[in-house]
Amino acid sequence: MEDVAERAKVSRALVSLVMNNSPQVSEEKRESVLRAAEELGYRPNLAARQLAKRRTQTIGVLVDDLRNPFFGEVVDGIEAEAANHGFTALILNGHRDARRELDAVETFLQFRVEGMALVGPRVGDDDLARLGGTTPCVVVASGSAHPGVDTVTTDGRWGAELAVEHLASLGHTRIAHMDGGSNVSAEERRAGYRSAMQAAGIGDFIDIRAAGDDEADALDVIDELLSAADPPTAIFAFNDLLAAGALNRLDDAGVAVPEDVSLVGFDNTFIAALRHLSLTTVNQPTLAMGRLAVETLLTRLSDGTDEPMRHTLEPQLVVRSTTGPPPMQSSGTASGSAEHI
Amino acid sequence: MEDVAERAKVSRALVSLVMNNSPQVSEEKRESVLRAAEELGYRPNLAARQLAKRRTQTIGVLVDDLRNPFFGEVVDGIEAEAANHGFTALILNGHRDARRELDAVETFLQFRVEGMALVGPRVGDDDLARLGGTTPCVVVASGSAHPGVDTVTTDGRWGAELAVEHLASLGHTRIAHMDGGSNVSAEERRAGYRSAMQAAGIGDFIDIRAAGDDEADALDVIDELLSAADPPTAIFAFNDLLAAGALNRLDDAGVAVPEDVSLVGFDNTFIAALRHLSLTTVNQPTLAMGRLAVETLLTRLSDGTDEPMRHTLEPQLVVRSTTGPPPMQSSGTASGSAEHI
DNA sequence: ATAGACCATTAGAGCGCTCCAATTCAAAGT
DNA sequence: ACTTTGAATTGGAGCGCTCTAATGGTCTAT
């Protein structure tokens, strides 16, 4: 910067003004500075700028799992909105592990990010509240109900209800739920499943199995479910990945979907839309969630409210081909008719 | 930091030493500093540290597309290895667009990252070389042959050859290639396709269609292919996503895979492994690529070679159920027999 | 007893920038 | 001619840390 100033025959301060394109610089000087910078390949040092400005214009984005396309979509939304406001999004990966998430948050804090978006975090509510005290922090995930933290969520309870209602209306009674394990969103979806089962008058059949959020997590659970005394005719899975894993295993076992068993996922990732899976699922408006997360953060930054802000978006059932009426009562297992929607 | 020093009754310098856990601090003082820091909730300011240290211990990771699970896997590898060496990985998203990639690189440079890993970049070779001059830079992608830049790649040419040889050995002659468009890896795969076609003595049938690297990019191309005078009996797609899109469209058109048309993808993402797609594809060792990328960067940092380093990994054909022998010569279109592997 | 060696500790300069207050200069007002 | 105004420019302090060289202290060798 020193050099640029010298070369352009101006003071360092003026260079700074040009670099921040302040309006009160004469066209003449501006150009000469820009030229000098160009010639010397000068690039402002972000660390120094941040230090001097006492601002970083950066938000931290903690992603649970980069392999799940759902998160990729949310992050896309966050990045787009952040860029709109001149913010840079710093992406860190939680690797589906609470301890590593905490490390990542620690890194964010050292970076002095102005806000953090935790996308599908696994850290406990207590840690969350503690963090939120220091730096604005928004939890993005369906069905998080964290006290004292801002949240952007798709109504997971409602989403689960949509799924169960759909299955119930097709005539299913034995509907099982493969739940999300330690995933934050798991609880709300579980609750939705429960309430919808009750509402449909089939509360007696409530069957919740601890699974997870990855295809591999589905395998054992499907085996359990199939070998149960009274196997379900429909399964509501925590997310699309889990549902995909279920589909794999059901196929292995020679169980036809949806003829023998109906299956519903969650997230409406592009995987669900693949024709060969054609998974009935519950849509989350990922892009909107991302954008809203950033907006929330910015509001929090300027605003001084204590009230936690909660944005809840509407889920939407997307019916595809993995759901249909249950097999005839008589025929206990495979073979079922093909008359689905 | 001032406050911590005061509280622990030591100098600022000592606090700094403790924070960098220097060995030459007495146990007594170390503890008292740590305690003071804890009590005050002190957290070192990374920007200040970087500025003073003249090092950032950070590498930039530019990802082409966060929705494609392939990239997620590579990034996982990068992050793991970076962490091993005390580096933080800064992830930025290129959004499949060369201009935005350049912006991201600019950001990296301002951050003073010590190295950059460009995962599946789209920027031109000239820009690449220019960047590489400033900051160590490794291109991670299958089949990149960028002059003057370090690369970690899976041999895309070979991978393509494996795919074509497999199809040819099944008896296919009319094998088309849906290529990767502006994706860096496209050219090598194209070349591999060409050479394998020649080698198999079916060079006359070479048919390359510009497609892309996203499911949506497949649609039009499939339509074209199907309505051609002499439609192919096999298609080698640039990547799994494209293949998945192709699968969708073929299904729409009532074309059976692999009975009527065989299909091969690339990347071996988890999508390909889904039982309902069960896509024959070419594996890339993603994790190893990520790790190797970081190693390359670190070598470049310590070493002073001018020679560009090129790591080329072996692709591997993964045969699943989307490939089989071509339909009987006689039956021109749909219906084909079911005798596949 | 004195010099030398060695350890833990500290003062203080400096990293590359921004920003405030101060300065310069030209044009306008009286 | 003089002050007033305002825009363009600059000097310099300071952001929070690290690092070098210097300081004080303790211990061993002579």
Side-chain angles (χ1 to χ4, degrees):
Chain A
M1 178 164 177
E2 197 75 57
D3 306 334
V4 174
E6 194 178 328
R7 182 161 192 133
K9 297 191 209 308
V10 296
S11 67
R12 276 170 31 252
L14 219 228
V15 176
S16 170
L17 288 180
V18 172
M19 281 323 192
N20 292 283
N21 45 60
S22 149
Q24 51 171 6
V25 191
S26 69
E27 205 47 47
E28 181 193 4
K29 301 268 179 183
R30 155 168 279 120
E31 273 179 27
S32 98
V33 168
L34 252 24
R35 187 155 12 90
E38 170 77 14
E39 287 166 4
L40 281 105
Y42 167 76
R43 225 178 296 274
N45 181 319
L46 218 50
R49 166 179 290 186
Q50 293 177 349
L51 189 57
K53 267 214 166 91
R54 245 90 47 83
R55 294 203 50 180
T56 56
Q57 297 264 82
T58 290
I59 63 170
V61 181
L62 180 62
V63 188
D64 181 46
D65 180 10
L66 276 182
R67 297 165 197 244
N68 186 338
F70 170 72
F71 293 113
E73 293 180 22
V74 175
V75 172
D76 275 1
I78 293 181
E79 280 194 314
E81 191 67 9
N84 276 349
H85 295 274
F87 277 73
T88 302
L90 217 66
I91 304 173
L92 251 40
N93 192 337
H95 296 277
R96 306 174 57 206
D97 179 88
R99 230 195 38 256
R100 299 178 74 167
E101 285 187 357
L102 247 21
D103 288 349
V105 169
E106 180 64 24
T107 304
F108 284 146
L109 259 21
Q110 295 194 4
F111 257 110
R112 300 294 190 266
V113 297
E114 300 187 22
M116 296 183 278
L118 312 185
V119 188
R122 301 176 118 80
V123 291
D125 282 359
D126 40 346
D127 288 317
L128 228 43
R130 190 157 41 75
L131 300 173
T134 328
T135 302
C137 174
V138 57
V139 172
V140 186
S142 90
S144 44
H146 311 284
V149 199
D150 297 337
T151 54
V152 172
T153 87
T154 299
D155 191 326
R157 189 184 174 108
W158 184 2
E161 287 169 356
L162 288 175
V164 174
E165 284 163 12
H166 168 60
L167 291 169
S169 76
L170 284 169
H172 292 274
T173 53
R174 297 203 306 282
I175 306 172
H177 177 44
M178 294 172 56
D179 94 338
S182 67
N183 194 299
V184 256
S185 312
E187 196 178 325
E188 273 219 355
R189 293 187 198 167
R190 222 152 34 213
Y193 163 75
R194 271 216 182 77
S195 75
M197 289 294 279
Q198 299 287 6
I202 47 178
D204 289 349
F205 295 103
I206 286 176
D207 183 1
I208 298 177
R209 308 281 173 143
D213 40 25
D214 200 55
E215 318 140 64
D217 298 329
L219 308 183
D220 291 345
V221 180
I222 289 295
D223 288 347
E224 270 180 41
L225 245 22
L226 289 180
S227 61
D230 207 17
T233 60
I235 302 173
F236 165 47
F238 173 73
N239 70 9
D240 288 350
L241 255 48
L242 199 61
L247 230 34
N248 280 359
R249 197 56 163 201
L250 289 170
D251 199 54
D252 282 347
V255 177
V257 176
E259 289 78 8
D260 301 324
V261 169
S262 285
L263 184 63
V264 181
F266 209 109
D267 290 348
N268 191 25
T269 55
F270 77 88
I271 296 170
L274 295 175
R275 200 75 87 257
H276 288 243
L277 269 73
S278 195
L279 183 66
T280 295
T281 187
V282 178
N283 182 63
Q284 299 200 51
T286 47
L287 234 63
M289 290 171 75
R291 301 199 111 93
L292 209 46
V294 175
E295 274 176 30
T296 306
L297 243 27
L298 296 180
T299 310
R300 175 65 65 199
L301 276 174
S302 53
D303 201 6
T305 334
D306 271 348
E307 280 298 284
M309 303 165 62
R310 310 198 159 284
H311 294 283
T312 306
L313 303 181
E314 292 191 16
Q316 212 163 3
L317 184 72
V318 180
V319 179
R320 294 208 180 87
S321 333
T322 55
T323 46
M328 300 290 103
Q329 281 292 75
S330 51
S331 64
T333 58
S335 85
S337 54
E339 91 272 327
H340 55 105
I341 350 176
Chain B
M1 177 159 177
E2 197 76 57
D3 306 335
V4 174
E6 194 178 328
R7 181 157 191 137
K9 298 193 207 307
V10 296
S11 66
R12 278 171 26 253
L14 222 228
V15 175
S16 170
L17 288 180
V18 172
M19 281 322 192
N20 292 283
N21 45 59
S22 148
Q24 51 172 7
V25 192
S26 70
E27 205 48 47
E28 180 192 6
K29 300 269 178 181
R30 153 168 282 120
E31 273 180 27
S32 101
V33 168
L34 252 24
R35 187 155 12 90
E38 170 78 11
E39 287 167 5
L40 276 79
Y42 167 76
R43 224 178 297 274
N45 181 319
L46 219 50
R49 165 179 292 188
Q50 293 178 350
L51 189 55
K53 266 214 166 93
R54 246 88 51 82
R55 293 203 49 181
T56 56
Q57 297 263 86
T58 290
I59 63 169
V61 181
L62 179 61
V63 188
D64 180 46
D65 179 10
L66 277 181
R67 298 166 196 244
N68 186 338
F70 169 72
F71 293 114
E73 293 179 23
V74 175
V75 172
D76 275 0
I78 293 181
E79 280 193 313
E81 191 67 9
N84 275 350
H85 295 273
F87 277 73
T88 302
L90 218 66
I91 305 173
L92 251 40
N93 191 337
H95 295 278
R96 307 174 56 205
D97 180 89
R99 230 195 37 257
R100 298 178 74 169
E101 285 186 359
L102 247 20
D103 289 349
V105 169
E106 181 64 25
T107 305
F108 284 146
L109 259 21
Q110 294 193 3
F111 257 110
R112 300 294 190 268
V113 297
E114 300 187 21
M116 297 183 279
L118 312 185
V119 188
R122 300 177 119 80
V123 289
D125 282 358
D126 40 348
D127 288 316
L128 229 43
R130 191 157 40 75
L131 300 173
T134 330
T135 301
C137 176
V138 56
V139 172
V140 186
S142 92
S144 44
H146 311 284
V149 199
D150 296 337
T151 54
V152 172
T153 86
T154 300
D155 192 325
R157 189 184 174 108
W158 185 2
E161 287 168 357
L162 288 175
V164 173
E165 283 163 13
H166 169 61
L167 291 169
S169 76
L170 285 169
H172 291 274
T173 52
R174 295 204 306 282
I175 305 172
H177 177 43
M178 295 172 56
D179 95 340
S182 67
N183 195 300
V184 254
S185 312
E187 196 178 324
E188 272 218 355
R189 294 189 198 166
R190 223 154 29 216
Y193 163 77
R194 271 216 183 79
S195 74
M197 289 293 279
Q198 300 287 8
I202 46 178
D204 290 349
F205 295 103
I206 285 176
D207 183 2
I208 297 176
R209 308 279 172 145
D213 41 24
D214 200 53
E215 320 139 63
D217 297 331
L219 309 185
D220 291 346
V221 180
I222 290 295
D223 288 348
E224 270 179 42
L225 245 22
L226 290 179
S227 61
D230 207 17
T233 61
I235 302 175
F236 165 48
F238 173 73
N239 70 8
D240 288 350
L241 255 49
L242 199 60
L247 229 34
N248 280 358
R249 196 55 161 204
L250 290 170
D251 200 54
D252 282 348
V255 177
V257 176
E259 290 77 9
D260 300 324
V261 170
S262 285
L263 185 63
V264 181
F266 210 109
D267 289 349
N268 193 24
T269 57
F270 77 89
I271 297 170
L274 294 175
R275 202 74 87 259
H276 288 241
L277 269 74
S278 195
L279 183 67
T280 295
T281 186
V282 178
N283 183 63
Q284 298 199 49
T286 47
L287 233 63
M289 290 171 76
R291 300 198 111 96
L292 209 46
V294 174
E295 273 176 32
T296 306
L297 243 26
L298 296 180
T299 309
R300 174 66 64 198
L301 276 173
S302 53
D303 201 7
T305 334
D306 272 348
E307 280 299 283
M309 302 165 63
R310 311 198 159 284
H311 294 282
T312 306
L313 303 181
E314 291 192 18
Q316 211 161 4
L317 183 72
V318 180
V319 178
R320 294 209 180 85
S321 335
T322 54
T323 45
M328 300 289 102
Q329 280 291 74
S330 51
S331 63
T333 57
S335 87
S337 54
E339 90 275 325
H340 56 105
I341 348 176

